[in-house]
Amino acid sequence: MEAIQEHKGLVYPLDRTNVDTDQIIPKQFLKRIERTGFGQFLFFNWRFDNDGKLREEFPLNQPKYQNASILLAGENFGCGSSREHAPWALSDFGFKVVIAPSFADIFYNNALKNGIVPIKMEESQINEWMQKAKDTIFVLWVDLKHQQITDDEGKVIDFNIPEYHKEKLLNGWDDIALTLLQEDKILEYENSRN
C-alpha cells in the first residue's frame, strides 16, 4: 500500500447521498481476482449508457474533472453491501481521498485498509466546497499528519481519523505489512517449535 502523508488534488463533487457500493462498482464486475482493473467500472451505470458509451452529462466524464483525486460526496457514502471492491475501484480510478458527512461503517474501514483516506466533514462545509467544485477547478490540500485540509482560499479545517489507521496510512502499511513488522518474533516462535 502506498504511504500517504499529504495530498493535493483536484476535487470531484458527487452531489448525491446514500451512494451504495453497487453504484460505486456494480456486481457484474466483481469476478476479477486481482485488486486492480476495477477503476474502469467505477460508477458504471452513471458513467455509461446501455450501449456502453460515456454519458457526457455525467460530470465525472467531463474534461474538467479528468485526474480528480479527491471525491466529495453526500451523507452515508458507501452504504449497502460490504464489498471491498468499492475502495479498490475508487483507488484504481485515481481517488486518494473521499470527504463526506458520514460513511457506512464497513466501507469506511475497507477504505482505510486499502489506502484511501475517508474524511468525515460537516455537511455545511461539504456543501460550500461542492459548489466551488461545480463552478470552477477546485483543489484541496490534505495533510494527514496534522489532520488538516486547506482550501484554495487558505481556510484550514481540522478533521479526525483514528490514530491506528492514521499510522497505517502514513507508513503505507496494509494488514500484511503490519504483521510483517513482527517478522522477527514470528520466526523466533517458529524456530522454537522445531
Side-chain angles (χ1 to χ4, degrees):
M1 186 167 84
E2 182 182 332
I4 181 167
Q5 297 180 9
E6 298 175 346
H7 179 73
K8 185 176 182 179
L10 176 65
V11 175
Y12 168 65
L14 181 63
D15 196 2
R16 299 180 188 214
T17 60
N18 301 309
V19 175
D20 67 38
T21 53
D22 196 49
Q23 292 163 323
I24 297 170
I25 180 78
K27 64 186 176 310
Q28 66 267 31
F29 302 115
L30 306 185
K31 299 171 187 168
R32 303 177 65 90
I33 57 171
E34 308 89 8
R35 291 183 177 201
T36 59
F38 291 101
Q40 61 188 319
F41 307 119
L42 181 70
F43 303 129
F44 188 83
N45 295 325
W46 295 338
R47 290 178 50 227
F48 297 93
D49 65 20
N50 291 335
D51 296 324
K53 294 180 184 171
L54 283 175
R55 297 179 195 263
E56 292 180 19
E57 70 276 8
F58 188 66
L60 190 56
N61 292 336
Q62 297 168 4
K64 174 181 176 180
Y65 298 112
Q66 194 169 34
N67 300 317
S69 59
I70 297 176
L71 175 68
L72 280 181
E75 64 180 291
N76 200 25
F77 187 81
C79 59
S81 72
S82 59
R83 64 187 69 164
E84 198 169 12
H85 303 76
W88 294 349
L90 288 161
S91 179
D92 196 51
F93 193 83
F95 287 109
K96 307 274 187 208
V97 177
V98 180
I99 306 171
S102 62
F103 296 91
D105 289 341
I106 294 173
F107 173 84
Y108 182 80
N109 286 310
N110 282 340
L112 289 165
K113 288 180 181 182
N114 286 283
I116 292 178
V117 182
I119 298 173
K120 296 175 186 175
M121 185 67 54
E122 292 291 327
E123 191 168 5
S124 59
Q125 185 60 65
I126 295 277
N127 292 338
E128 179 185 323
W129 286 342
M130 193 82 69
Q131 194 57 53
K132 283 186 176 185
K134 289 177 186 178
D135 294 343
T136 186
I137 302 295
F138 183 58
V139 173
L140 289 173
W141 179 51
V142 178
D143 180 344
L144 180 59
K145 184 175 181 180
H146 297 101
Q147 297 180 184
Q148 294 180 324
I149 300 175
T150 306
D151 69 13
D152 61 339
E153 296 176 353
K155 181 178 180 181
V156 178
I157 305 289
D158 294 323
F159 66 88
N160 291 314
I161 198 157
E163 190 63 33
Y164 170 76
H165 293 295
K166 175 182 168 182
E167 184 178 3
K168 286 175 63 179
L169 290 166
L170 288 171
N171 290 288
W173 296 332
D174 61 13
D175 288 342
I176 293 171
L178 199 59
T179 301
L180 290 176
L181 291 175
Q182 304 298 322
E183 187 173 16
D184 290 345
K185 291 179 182 177
I186 294 168
L187 289 172
E188 181 182 327
Y189 173 79
E190 288 177 349
N191 290 333
S192 73
R193 302 283 295 166
N194 291 333

